[in-house]
Amino acid sequence: MNILVFTDLDGSLLNHDDYSFEEARPTLDRLRGAKIPLVFVTSKTRREVEPLQNRLGFREPFIVENGGGIFVPRGYRSVSLPEEFREQGNFFVLALGLPYGRIRGVFAAMKSRFKITGYGDLSSQEVAVLSGLAVEEAERAKAREFSEPFLLKSVPDLPELERLAAREGMKIVRGGRFYHLIGDRQDKGAAVRGVRSLYRGIFGMEHVAVGIGDSENDLPMLQEVDVPVLIPHPERGWLEASLPGLVKAPDPGSRGWNEALGRVLDELEADSP
């Protein structure tokens, strides 16, 4: 049985407060040893994901900025990708979202009416304070291509912001710390469908897909996998979700990720002929 694992990062594989993945090392080692692909599905940017992949020892496709783009390493599995993938540095990328310049323009118009603050309004030092990242990491987080994370001071303004976004062909999704303004045709679920299609068709791999997330913006991803896993928030607990076969991790962050995915792998391997 081939297994394919999709995972959110912040609040799931990475702890909510300190971004550590140390308690997930046993299952990460197990994935590497079994050559099970681990596909990041994150609100982070490409510039954030690259060094994290290097630290973890994985070289797999990944999905950035809430489904804004699918990145496939150059030469991955020695296959040729469809022509809609374009070359970008060490990757081939399929853009599913709108360009950041367009999103930022709409956000600036919204900002003139509502008390919202986006990454584009902040210095790297200010992003670091708000996010808990180091300044160098915050600089990479500001390198947006498909989305604008933002803070909203008055939650009752959200419905009107959503209406304005919809008129511009965009939408607002909520992550663990920030809201995100993105194109209305992008989400983590659409990107996961695209990656699963690549594995079945281009890469020739039928598989069982496991998906792991903790936030509202992860629900589209969890709806597209065979085994959805929900990580609890350290304070709010589990997100309300009704999904067939849902597995609830016992603990937040990397500890819950390690325990829940380890249990899922045990069960899948026991069922394998």
Side-chain angles (χ1 to χ4, degrees), residues 161-270:
L161 283 166
E162 290 175 329
R163 284 191 287 271
L164 290 174
R167 288 209 294 264
E168 297 292 338
M170 300 180 191
K171 62 185 177 183
I172 295 169
V173 298
R174 184 176 182 178
R177 280 185 172 84
F178 300 95
Y179 293 92
H180 301 259
L181 181 64
I182 63 176
D184 64 2
R185 294 187 179 182
Q186 80 180 70
D187 61 36
K188 290 186 175 184
V192 165
R193 283 198 304 275
V195 172
R196 293 195 70 178
S197 178
L198 281 178
Y199 273 93
R200 289 194 191 98
I202 305 300
F203 304 147
M205 175 182 158
E206 292 294 334
H207 58 269
V208 173
V210 180
I212 310 169
D214 73 309
S215 299
E216 182 179 312
N217 62 339
D218 294 317
L219 288 177
M221 168 183 67
L222 298 180
Q223 292 167 348
E224 294 294 334
V225 297
D226 304 300
V227 185
V229 178
L230 195 59
I231 305 288
H233 186 276
E235 298 171 358
R236 299 190 295 268
W238 293 279
L239 185 72
E240 287 191 21
S242 178
L243 297 164
L246 178 66
V247 175
K248 288 188 174 182
D251 297 298
S254 61
R255 178 186 298 177
W257 190 96
N258 184 72
E259 293 173 354
L261 181 55
R263 177 160 32 102
V264 167
L265 293 176
D266 287 343
E267 293 173 356
L268 290 176
E269 291 173 359

Side-chain angles (χ1 to χ4, degrees), residues 19-207:
Y19 299 101
S20 172
F21 56 82
E22 287 303 314
E23 291 182 287
R25 282 191 180 276
T27 302
L28 289 168
D29 291 343
R30 181 175 177 179
L31 293 176
R32 280 193 299 271
K35 294 183 169 52
I36 296 173
L38 180 64
V39 177
F40 296 162
V41 187
T42 180
S43 59
K44 290 183 179 295
T45 65
R46 173 191 58 81
R47 286 189 59 195
E48 291 178 279
V49 170
E50 283 188 84
L52 182 60
Q53 276 201 327
N54 291 336
R55 287 173 64 196
L56 292 175
F58 288 90
R59 185 176 180 270
E60 307 289 347
F62 57 86
I63 295 164
V64 301
E65 298 188 49
N66 287 301
I70 299 171
F71 285 77
V72 179
R74 184 184 295 275
Y76 185 74
R77 297 189 175 233
S78 302
V79 299
S80 297
L81 293 167
E83 61 182 13
E84 57 263 33
F85 280 80
R86 59 181 174 81
E87 294 185 45
Q88 183 175 320
N90 294 322
F91 300 94
F92 286 89
V93 57
L94 176 62
L96 302 176
L98 298 172
Y100 178 69
R102 181 175 171 190
I103 289 173
R104 179 63 196 175
V106 170
F107 183 84
M110 291 177 168
K111 190 172 182 293
S112 68
R113 295 180 52 188
F114 298 96
K115 292 181 178 179
I116 54 178
T117 304
Y119 268 32
D121 304 311
L122 301 170
S123 68
S124 297
Q125 290 79 6
E126 289 170 324
V127 170
V129 170
L130 288 172
S131 63
L133 296 168
V135 173
E136 182 180 355
E137 294 168 333
E139 184 175 344
R140 291 194 288 265
K142 279 175 56 65
R144 315 306 296 185
E145 295 176 80
F146 309 106
S147 64
E148 177 73 337
F150 67 95
L151 294 172
L152 172 62
K153 289 188 178 180
S154 177
V155 175
D157 289 339
L158 183 59
E160 180 60 23
L161 283 166
E162 290 175 329
R163 284 191 287 271
L164 290 174
R167 288 209 294 264
E168 297 292 338
M170 300 180 191
K171 62 185 177 183
I172 295 169
V173 298
R174 184 176 182 178
R177 280 185 172 84
F178 300 95
Y179 293 92
H180 301 259
L181 181 64
I182 63 176
D184 64 2
R185 294 187 179 182
Q186 80 180 70
D187 61 36
K188 290 186 175 184
V192 165
R193 283 198 304 275
V195 172
R196 293 195 70 178
S197 178
L198 281 178
Y199 273 93
R200 289 194 191 98
I202 305 300
F203 304 147
M205 175 182 158
E206 292 294 334
H207 58 269

